[in-house]
Amino acid sequence: MSGKPVAADDAARPGPGKADRRVRRTRQAIQRALVELILEKGYEPVTVTDIIDRADVGRSTFYAHFDGKQAVLRANLDEIAFLRPTPDPAGSLFAFARGMLEHVRDRRDLVRALIGRRGGGQAIAHGEHLLHKTVRDELLARGAQPSPRLDLVVTCVVGAFLALLVKWVDEEIDATPAELDDAFRAAVVPGVQALLERPRTASIAPPPRR
């Protein structure tokens, strides 16, 4: 049987499948190291050297996968895809909330590291941005009109949800996802429904002149 001989280097080189698995394992080790370190001492004090030591990888290996600590943080945030829920205009208001809370319960350590008080402002800001878009899109789909008032309402809704979420993952609140969802709805749904039911021509009266 004839054919081109396989070079020794080619035989030793891992195939695409093995290489991909090795890349995934390395990235996961680095991402997991950051999560552990955040839970121990918070995001800000963690350095790239800390992550390298905890993940037990070389510095060149780290930089082959990530360009710094923020890139590792973003990769972890991308894994909690439930921060990008799909609104359901045909269902009840903010139906995404219950499912998000149940996902958080299942991945509590990861979410506590990223969005809890030890996670730092960047993760919170990222989550806030994603939720703001979700809530705004849902209200627009239900008939709300783009306006500064709408943006204020969306800010209030997102702030209420994130406040509950942060306190819960930091174990300052002892509640089930259903109880949190009920509290969130009781706080925000009546006001949002009033906004949606306002006639489209209605506007906020200007403050009286003094």
Side-chain angles (χ1 to χ4, degrees):
M1 183 176 179
S2 62
K4 183 179 179 180
V6 177
D9 287 347
D10 291 339
R13 186 179 298 121
K18 287 185 178 180
D20 289 345
R21 287 194 296 272
R22 185 171 61 189
V23 167
R24 285 197 300 272
R25 284 197 301 268
T26 302
R27 289 180 64 88
Q28 288 168 357
I30 293 170
Q31 290 175 228
R32 187 167 55 248
L34 177 61
V35 169
E36 292 173 357
L37 290 163
I38 290 173
L39 291 173
E40 289 176 13
K41 58 182 181 179
Y43 174 76
E44 294 302 333
V46 176
T47 66
V48 168
T49 299
D50 292 334
I51 299 171
I52 288 170
D53 291 344
R54 178 62 60 92
D56 194 21
V57 298
R59 186 168 293 271
S60 60
T61 298
F62 175 90
Y63 283 109
H65 295 278
F66 299 100
D67 61 13
K69 183 175 73 169
Q70 291 183 12
V72 185
L73 179 69
R74 287 193 298 270
N76 274 312
L77 285 168
D78 287 342
E79 289 193 7
I80 49 177
F82 52 82
L83 279 176
R84 295 183 291 277
T86 302
D88 180 13
S92 60
L93 268 172
F94 312 134
F96 66 82
R98 178 74 174 269
M100 284 184 64
L101 292 165
E102 289 172 346
H103 278 296
V104 170
R105 177 192 57 198
D106 296 337
R107 304 198 69 183
R108 195 157 182 159
D109 283 348
L110 174 61
V111 178
R112 183 167 72 245
L114 300 180
I115 301 180
R117 301 195 189 283
R118 288 179 171 268
Q122 293 185 49
I124 289 286
H126 185 74
E128 185 176 7
H129 172 75
L130 294 173
L131 285 174
H132 191 281
K133 184 178 186 308
T134 296
V135 171
R136 190 174 190 276
D137 287 350
E138 177 170 345
L139 295 182
L140 289 173
R142 290 176 181 269
Q145 296 300 299
S147 67
R149 177 183 176 84
L150 174 63
D151 291 335
L152 287 174
V153 170
V154 172
T155 298
C156 290
V157 171
V158 173
F161 185 81
L162 283 178
L164 280 174
L165 182 62
V166 170
K167 282 184 174 292
W168 188 46
V169 298
D170 281 338
E171 300 181 341
E172 296 178 29
I173 294 175
D174 183 14
T176 65
E179 290 168 340
L180 289 169
D181 185 48
D182 287 344
F184 169 65
R185 290 178 182 283
V188 303
V189 167
V192 172
Q193 285 178 332
L195 170 72
L196 294 174
E197 291 166 4
R198 283 174 68 103
R200 292 189 177 185
T201 56
S203 60
I204 304 174
R209 292 186 178 180
R210 296 184 179 179

